């Protein structure tokens, strides 16, 4: 008697190719010199910089920078060799955001402890790299910050008599 075995048989030869490092993308931003940076949210999380051909130029581990339940949400190129990583943490109904600056040449990560904000939805860098603006949907306002995390000003709240949305206002500011 020959036993009957049911199931699938695969004749496929196992691949010896290395899996692509470009996966589990959370956010993306230009990194300068024709390169793109993205947040890889897989375990371990990382900031990955690739060139136009899709080759990895730099991988910066975010292990030790992200503390559960935190997650990296937004990226912003500021200046020529730096990327700001906006990290959020939600506890019950409150979402807070902090920022870590990544030097994409050296791989050094530097927290910006002076910056603390509620939920951040949109970010934009000053053209000269000296600071950035954020939009916070809960308050409907925007605020400007130095690279060191010092609040420079805030205003232009939605519904406060301004024409258009705050996002449109930010776009107009940076197009001049």
């Amino acid at each position: 008697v020959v036993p009957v075995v049911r199931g699938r048989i695969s004749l496929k030869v196992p691949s010896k190719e290395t899996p692509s490092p470009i996966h589990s993308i959370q956010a993306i931003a230009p990194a300068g010199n024709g390169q793109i940076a993205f947040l890889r949210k897989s375990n371990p999380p990382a900031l990955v910089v690739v060139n136009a051909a899709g080759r990895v130029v730099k991988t910066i581990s975010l292990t030790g920078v992200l503390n559960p339940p935190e997650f990296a949400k937004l990226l912003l190129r500021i200046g020529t060799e730096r990327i700001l990583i906006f990290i959020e943490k939600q506890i019950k109904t409150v979402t807070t955001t902090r920022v870590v600056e990544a030097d994409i040449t050296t791989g050094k990560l530097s927290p910006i402890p002076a910056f603390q904000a509620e939920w951040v939805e949109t970010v934009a860098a000053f053209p000269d790299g000296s600071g950035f603006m954020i939009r916070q949907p809960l308050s409907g306002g925007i605020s400007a910050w130095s690279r060191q995390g010092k609040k420079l000003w805030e205003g232009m709240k939605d519904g406060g008599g301004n024409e258009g949305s705050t996002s449109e206002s930010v776009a107009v500011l940076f197009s001049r």
Side-chain angles (χ1 to χ4, degrees), residues 28-38 48-58 77 80-83 104-105:
I28 192 166
N33 299 323
Q35 300 171 341
I36 298 291
F38 67 89
V48 180
V49 179
V50 296
N51 64 18
R55 289 189 185 91
V56 174
V57 175
K58 183 75 126 184
R77 177 180 167 205
T80 56
E81 300 292 327
R82 307 215 182 255
I83 301 276
I104 57 175
T105 301

PDB file of all heavy atoms in Angstrom, residues 28-38 48-58 77 80-83 104-105:
ATOM      1  N   ILE A  28       8.750  59.778   2.655  1.00  0.00           N
ATOM      2  CA  ILE A  28       9.789  59.963   1.647  1.00  0.00           C
ATOM      3  C   ILE A  28      10.083  61.455   1.492  1.00  0.00           C
ATOM      4  O   ILE A  28       9.187  62.285   1.677  1.00  0.00           O
ATOM      5  CB  ILE A  28       9.319  59.323   0.317  1.00  0.00           C
ATOM      6  CG1 ILE A  28      10.440  59.206  -0.681  1.00  0.00           C
ATOM      7  CG2 ILE A  28       8.128  60.026  -0.260  1.00  0.00           C
ATOM      8  CD1 ILE A  28      10.119  58.287  -1.855  1.00  0.00           C
ATOM      9  N   ALA A  29      11.352  61.785   1.189  1.00  0.00           N
ATOM     10  CA  ALA A  29      11.749  63.187   1.005  1.00  0.00           C
ATOM     11  C   ALA A  29      13.005  63.252   0.154  1.00  0.00           C
ATOM     12  O   ALA A  29      13.808  62.309   0.159  1.00  0.00           O
ATOM     13  CB  ALA A  29      12.016  63.847   2.360  1.00  0.00           C
ATOM     14  N   PRO A  30      13.208  64.346  -0.570  1.00  0.00           N
ATOM     15  CA  PRO A  30      14.471  64.493  -1.301  1.00  0.00           C
ATOM     16  C   PRO A  30      15.630  64.580  -0.310  1.00  0.00           C
ATOM     17  O   PRO A  30      15.480  65.114   0.781  1.00  0.00           O
ATOM     18  CB  PRO A  30      14.294  65.805  -2.071  1.00  0.00           C
ATOM     19  CG  PRO A  30      13.188  66.520  -1.398  1.00  0.00           C
ATOM     20  CD  PRO A  30      12.343  65.497  -0.717  1.00  0.00           C
ATOM     21  N   ALA A  31      16.783  64.024  -0.702  1.00  0.00           N
ATOM     22  CA  ALA A  31      17.949  64.033   0.187  1.00  0.00           C
ATOM     23  C   ALA A  31      19.118  64.798  -0.406  1.00  0.00           C
ATOM     24  O   ALA A  31      20.196  64.804   0.153  1.00  0.00           O
ATOM     25  CB  ALA A  31      18.369  62.600   0.507  1.00  0.00           C
ATOM     26  N   GLY A  32      18.920  65.454  -1.556  1.00  0.00           N
ATOM     27  CA  GLY A  32      19.990  66.205  -2.183  1.00  0.00           C
ATOM     28  C   GLY A  32      20.865  65.325  -3.050  1.00  0.00           C
ATOM     29  O   GLY A  32      20.832  64.092  -2.955  1.00  0.00           O
ATOM     30  N   ASN A  33      21.630  65.928  -3.930  1.00  0.00           N
ATOM     31  CA  ASN A  33      22.538  65.218  -4.835  1.00  0.00           C
ATOM     32  C   ASN A  33      21.836  64.127  -5.642  1.00  0.00           C
ATOM     33  O   ASN A  33      22.404  63.063  -5.879  1.00  0.00           O
ATOM     34  CB  ASN A  33      23.716  64.609  -4.061  1.00  0.00           C
ATOM     35  CG  ASN A  33      24.535  65.655  -3.355  1.00  0.00           C
ATOM     36  OD1 ASN A  33      24.734  66.750  -3.886  1.00  0.00           O
ATOM     37  ND2 ASN A  33      24.975  65.361  -2.155  1.00  0.00           N
ATOM     38  N   GLY A  34      20.584  64.371  -6.030  1.00  0.00           N
ATOM     39  CA  GLY A  34      19.844  63.386  -6.816  1.00  0.00           C
ATOM     40  C   GLY A  34      19.428  62.164  -6.031  1.00  0.00           C
ATOM     41  O   GLY A  34      19.133  61.123  -6.607  1.00  0.00           O
ATOM     42  N   GLN A  35      19.394  62.261  -4.713  1.00  0.00           N
ATOM     43  CA  GLN A  35      19.061  61.127  -3.861  1.00  0.00           C
ATOM     44  C   GLN A  35      17.707  61.334  -3.185  1.00  0.00           C
ATOM     45  O   GLN A  35      17.236  62.455  -3.055  1.00  0.00           O
ATOM     46  CB  GLN A  35      20.142  60.936  -2.794  1.00  0.00           C
ATOM     47  CG  GLN A  35      21.508  60.669  -3.399  1.00  0.00           C
ATOM     48  CD  GLN A  35      22.616  60.683  -2.370  1.00  0.00           C
ATOM     49  OE1 GLN A  35      22.469  61.203  -1.279  1.00  0.00           O
ATOM     50  NE2 GLN A  35      23.760  60.129  -2.735  1.00  0.00           N
ATOM     51  N   ILE A  36      17.132  60.225  -2.754  1.00  0.00           N
ATOM     52  CA  ILE A  36      15.855  60.233  -2.041  1.00  0.00           C
ATOM     53  C   ILE A  36      16.061  59.517  -0.704  1.00  0.00           C
ATOM     54  O   ILE A  36      16.753  58.508  -0.631  1.00  0.00           O
ATOM     55  CB  ILE A  36      14.766  59.479  -2.847  1.00  0.00           C
ATOM     56  CG1 ILE A  36      14.499  60.160  -4.187  1.00  0.00           C
ATOM     57  CG2 ILE A  36      13.480  59.329  -2.052  1.00  0.00           C
ATOM     58  CD1 ILE A  36      13.814  61.501  -4.088  1.00  0.00           C
ATOM     59  N   ALA A  37      15.448  60.065   0.350  1.00  0.00           N
ATOM     60  CA  ALA A  37      15.476  59.419   1.672  1.00  0.00           C
ATOM     61  C   ALA A  37      14.076  58.902   1.973  1.00  0.00           C
ATOM     62  O   ALA A  37      13.087  59.523   1.595  1.00  0.00           O
ATOM     63  CB  ALA A  37      15.909  60.411   2.738  1.00  0.00           C
ATOM     64  N   PHE A  38      14.032  57.763   2.629  1.00  0.00           N
ATOM     65  CA  PHE A  38      12.736  57.276   3.090  1.00  0.00           C
ATOM     66  C   PHE A  38      12.877  56.604   4.444  1.00  0.00           C
ATOM     67  O   PHE A  38      13.966  56.168   4.839  1.00  0.00           O
ATOM     68  CB  PHE A  38      12.079  56.334   2.069  1.00  0.00           C
ATOM     69  CG  PHE A  38      12.769  55.026   1.854  1.00  0.00           C
ATOM     70  CD1 PHE A  38      12.461  53.920   2.634  1.00  0.00           C
ATOM     71  CD2 PHE A  38      13.712  54.876   0.853  1.00  0.00           C
ATOM     72  CE1 PHE A  38      13.095  52.710   2.434  1.00  0.00           C
ATOM     73  CE2 PHE A  38      14.342  53.668   0.635  1.00  0.00           C
ATOM     74  CZ  PHE A  38      14.032  52.586   1.430  1.00  0.00           C
ATOM     75  N   VAL A  48      16.702  55.413   5.154  1.00  0.00           N
ATOM     76  CA  VAL A  48      17.454  54.851   4.041  1.00  0.00           C
ATOM     77  C   VAL A  48      17.556  55.904   2.943  1.00  0.00           C
ATOM     78  O   VAL A  48      16.569  56.544   2.599  1.00  0.00           O
ATOM     79  CB  VAL A  48      16.774  53.579   3.489  1.00  0.00           C
ATOM     80  CG1 VAL A  48      17.556  52.985   2.327  1.00  0.00           C
ATOM     81  CG2 VAL A  48      16.599  52.540   4.595  1.00  0.00           C
ATOM     82  N   VAL A  49      18.767  56.086   2.409  1.00  0.00           N
ATOM     83  CA  VAL A  49      18.998  57.024   1.316  1.00  0.00           C
ATOM     84  C   VAL A  49      19.385  56.205   0.089  1.00  0.00           C
ATOM     85  O   VAL A  49      20.276  55.353   0.160  1.00  0.00           O
ATOM     86  CB  VAL A  49      20.116  58.037   1.666  1.00  0.00           C
ATOM     87  CG1 VAL A  49      20.360  58.996   0.511  1.00  0.00           C
ATOM     88  CG2 VAL A  49      19.762  58.805   2.938  1.00  0.00           C
ATOM     89  N   VAL A  50      18.670  56.450  -1.024  1.00  0.00           N
ATOM     90  CA  VAL A  50      18.953  55.751  -2.271  1.00  0.00           C
ATOM     91  C   VAL A  50      19.258  56.759  -3.374  1.00  0.00           C
ATOM     92  O   VAL A  50      18.805  57.898  -3.322  1.00  0.00           O
ATOM     93  CB  VAL A  50      17.785  54.829  -2.711  1.00  0.00           C
ATOM     94  CG1 VAL A  50      17.553  53.716  -1.704  1.00  0.00           C
ATOM     95  CG2 VAL A  50      16.516  55.619  -2.932  1.00  0.00           C
ATOM     96  N   ASN A  51      20.024  56.317  -4.378  1.00  0.00           N
ATOM     97  CA  ASN A  51      20.298  57.190  -5.515  1.00  0.00           C
ATOM     98  C   ASN A  51      19.237  56.961  -6.591  1.00  0.00           C
ATOM     99  O   ASN A  51      18.324  56.140  -6.418  1.00  0.00           O
ATOM    100  CB  ASN A  51      21.724  56.991  -6.034  1.00  0.00           C
ATOM    101  CG  ASN A  51      21.972  55.596  -6.581  1.00  0.00           C
ATOM    102  OD1 ASN A  51      21.057  54.843  -6.895  1.00  0.00           O
ATOM    103  ND2 ASN A  51      23.240  55.243  -6.696  1.00  0.00           N
ATOM    104  N   ALA A  52      19.361  57.667  -7.716  1.00  0.00           N
ATOM    105  CA  ALA A  52      18.362  57.589  -8.786  1.00  0.00           C
ATOM    106  C   ALA A  52      18.260  56.190  -9.390  1.00  0.00           C
ATOM    107  O   ALA A  52      17.227  55.824  -9.937  1.00  0.00           O
ATOM    108  CB  ALA A  52      18.686  58.608  -9.868  1.00  0.00           C
ATOM    109  N   ALA A  53      19.307  55.392  -9.276  1.00  0.00           N
ATOM    110  CA  ALA A  53      19.298  54.020  -9.791  1.00  0.00           C
ATOM    111  C   ALA A  53      18.676  53.038  -8.800  1.00  0.00           C
ATOM    112  O   ALA A  53      18.571  51.851  -9.095  1.00  0.00           O
ATOM    113  CB  ALA A  53      20.724  53.580 -10.125  1.00  0.00           C
ATOM    114  N   GLY A  54      18.293  53.520  -7.609  1.00  0.00           N
ATOM    115  CA  GLY A  54      17.698  52.650  -6.601  1.00  0.00           C
ATOM    116  C   GLY A  54      18.702  51.938  -5.731  1.00  0.00           C
ATOM    117  O   GLY A  54      18.353  51.042  -4.972  1.00  0.00           O
ATOM    118  N   ARG A  55      19.960  52.324  -5.814  1.00  0.00           N
ATOM    119  CA  ARG A  55      20.996  51.708  -4.968  1.00  0.00           C
ATOM    120  C   ARG A  55      21.050  52.429  -3.629  1.00  0.00           C
ATOM    121  O   ARG A  55      21.020  53.664  -3.556  1.00  0.00           O
ATOM    122  CB  ARG A  55      22.348  51.791  -5.653  1.00  0.00           C
ATOM    123  CG  ARG A  55      22.447  50.874  -6.843  1.00  0.00           C
ATOM    124  CD  ARG A  55      23.864  50.797  -7.371  1.00  0.00           C
ATOM    125  NE  ARG A  55      23.913  50.007  -8.569  1.00  0.00           N
ATOM    126  CZ  ARG A  55      23.780  50.509  -9.801  1.00  0.00           C
ATOM    127  NH1 ARG A  55      23.628  51.805  -9.978  1.00  0.00           N
ATOM    128  NH2 ARG A  55      23.830  49.724 -10.846  1.00  0.00           N
ATOM    129  N   VAL A  56      21.184  51.658  -2.578  1.00  0.00           N
ATOM    130  CA  VAL A  56      21.265  52.238  -1.234  1.00  0.00           C
ATOM    131  C   VAL A  56      22.609  52.930  -1.068  1.00  0.00           C
ATOM    132  O   VAL A  56      23.662  52.334  -1.301  1.00  0.00           O
ATOM    133  CB  VAL A  56      21.072  51.151  -0.157  1.00  0.00           C
ATOM    134  CG1 VAL A  56      21.311  51.723   1.230  1.00  0.00           C
ATOM    135  CG2 VAL A  56      19.680  50.546  -0.251  1.00  0.00           C
ATOM    136  N   VAL A  57      22.553  54.197  -0.675  1.00  0.00           N
ATOM    137  CA  VAL A  57      23.752  54.992  -0.439  1.00  0.00           C
ATOM    138  C   VAL A  57      24.090  54.998   1.046  1.00  0.00           C
ATOM    139  O   VAL A  57      25.250  54.952   1.436  1.00  0.00           O
ATOM    140  CB  VAL A  57      23.533  56.449  -0.934  1.00  0.00           C
ATOM    141  CG1 VAL A  57      24.711  57.339  -0.606  1.00  0.00           C
ATOM    142  CG2 VAL A  57      23.233  56.455  -2.419  1.00  0.00           C
ATOM    143  N   LYS A  58      23.052  55.018   1.887  1.00  0.00           N
ATOM    144  CA  LYS A  58      23.252  55.089   3.339  1.00  0.00           C
ATOM    145  C   LYS A  58      22.033  54.498   4.036  1.00  0.00           C
ATOM    146  O   LYS A  58      20.910  54.713   3.607  1.00  0.00           O
ATOM    147  CB  LYS A  58      23.439  56.547   3.745  1.00  0.00           C
ATOM    148  CG  LYS A  58      23.736  56.792   5.194  1.00  0.00           C
ATOM    149  CD  LYS A  58      25.144  56.436   5.516  1.00  0.00           C
ATOM    150  CE  LYS A  58      25.884  57.563   6.160  1.00  0.00           C
ATOM    151  NZ  LYS A  58      27.266  57.250   6.384  1.00  0.00           N
ATOM    152  N   ARG A  77      13.857  67.473   4.405  1.00  0.00           N
ATOM    153  CA  ARG A  77      15.239  67.855   4.110  1.00  0.00           C
ATOM    154  C   ARG A  77      15.414  69.304   4.526  1.00  0.00           C
ATOM    155  O   ARG A  77      14.604  70.161   4.206  1.00  0.00           O
ATOM    156  CB  ARG A  77      15.525  67.710   2.623  1.00  0.00           C
ATOM    157  CG  ARG A  77      16.931  68.158   2.275  1.00  0.00           C
ATOM    158  CD  ARG A  77      17.192  67.997   0.814  1.00  0.00           C
ATOM    159  NE  ARG A  77      18.408  68.695   0.448  1.00  0.00           N
ATOM    160  CZ  ARG A  77      18.654  69.139  -0.755  1.00  0.00           C
ATOM    161  NH1 ARG A  77      17.784  68.940  -1.718  1.00  0.00           N
ATOM    162  NH2 ARG A  77      19.768  69.765  -1.019  1.00  0.00           N
ATOM    163  N   THR A  80      21.672  71.146   3.221  1.00  0.00           N
ATOM    164  CA  THR A  80      22.162  70.263   2.159  1.00  0.00           C
ATOM    165  C   THR A  80      22.350  68.812   2.578  1.00  0.00           C
ATOM    166  O   THR A  80      22.190  67.917   1.767  1.00  0.00           O
ATOM    167  CB  THR A  80      23.499  70.792   1.610  1.00  0.00           C
ATOM    168  OG1 THR A  80      24.427  70.914   2.685  1.00  0.00           O
ATOM    169  CG2 THR A  80      23.326  72.129   0.927  1.00  0.00           C
ATOM    170  N   GLU A  81      22.701  68.552   3.816  1.00  0.00           N
ATOM    171  CA  GLU A  81      23.032  67.182   4.233  1.00  0.00           C
ATOM    172  C   GLU A  81      22.236  66.700   5.442  1.00  0.00           C
ATOM    173  O   GLU A  81      22.643  65.762   6.108  1.00  0.00           O
ATOM    174  CB  GLU A  81      24.530  67.070   4.553  1.00  0.00           C
ATOM    175  CG  GLU A  81      25.437  67.405   3.384  1.00  0.00           C
ATOM    176  CD  GLU A  81      25.346  66.389   2.258  1.00  0.00           C
ATOM    177  OE1 GLU A  81      25.129  65.199   2.532  1.00  0.00           O
ATOM    178  OE2 GLU A  81      25.477  66.805   1.096  1.00  0.00           O
ATOM    179  N   ARG A  82      21.123  67.348   5.727  1.00  0.00           N
ATOM    180  CA  ARG A  82      20.382  66.990   6.938  1.00  0.00           C
ATOM    181  C   ARG A  82      18.917  66.696   6.624  1.00  0.00           C
ATOM    182  O   ARG A  82      18.309  67.329   5.774  1.00  0.00           O
ATOM    183  CB  ARG A  82      20.479  68.099   7.956  1.00  0.00           C
ATOM    184  CG  ARG A  82      21.929  68.473   8.224  1.00  0.00           C
ATOM    185  CD  ARG A  82      22.154  68.869   9.642  1.00  0.00           C
ATOM    186  NE  ARG A  82      23.544  69.249   9.835  1.00  0.00           N
ATOM    187  CZ  ARG A  82      24.422  68.500  10.443  1.00  0.00           C
ATOM    188  NH1 ARG A  82      24.078  67.335  10.918  1.00  0.00           N
ATOM    189  NH2 ARG A  82      25.666  68.909  10.608  1.00  0.00           N
ATOM    190  N   ILE A  83      18.395  65.723   7.349  1.00  0.00           N
ATOM    191  CA  ILE A  83      16.996  65.338   7.250  1.00  0.00           C
ATOM    192  C   ILE A  83      16.413  65.399   8.664  1.00  0.00           C
ATOM    193  O   ILE A  83      17.012  64.877   9.608  1.00  0.00           O
ATOM    194  CB  ILE A  83      16.842  63.888   6.723  1.00  0.00           C
ATOM    195  CG1 ILE A  83      17.472  63.725   5.349  1.00  0.00           C
ATOM    196  CG2 ILE A  83      15.386  63.445   6.752  1.00  0.00           C
ATOM    197  CD1 ILE A  83      16.636  64.110   4.182  1.00  0.00           C
ATOM    198  N   ILE A 104      23.004  62.957   6.936  1.00  0.00           N
ATOM    199  CA  ILE A 104      23.055  61.828   6.009  1.00  0.00           C
ATOM    200  C   ILE A 104      24.464  61.549   5.484  1.00  0.00           C
ATOM    201  O   ILE A 104      24.679  60.539   4.832  1.00  0.00           O
ATOM    202  CB  ILE A 104      22.048  61.978   4.848  1.00  0.00           C
ATOM    203  CG1 ILE A 104      22.261  63.260   4.073  1.00  0.00           C
ATOM    204  CG2 ILE A 104      20.642  61.887   5.379  1.00  0.00           C
ATOM    205  CD1 ILE A 104      21.374  63.386   2.860  1.00  0.00           C
ATOM    206  N   THR A 105      25.416  62.406   5.803  1.00  0.00           N
ATOM    207  CA  THR A 105      26.805  62.126   5.440  1.00  0.00           C
ATOM    208  C   THR A 105      27.464  61.238   6.494  1.00  0.00           C
ATOM    209  O   THR A 105      28.067  60.221   6.178  1.00  0.00           O
ATOM    210  CB  THR A 105      27.604  63.433   5.287  1.00  0.00           C
ATOM    211  OG1 THR A 105      26.984  64.229   4.288  1.00  0.00           O
ATOM    212  CG2 THR A 105      29.039  63.161   4.887  1.00  0.00           C
TER     213      THR A 105
END
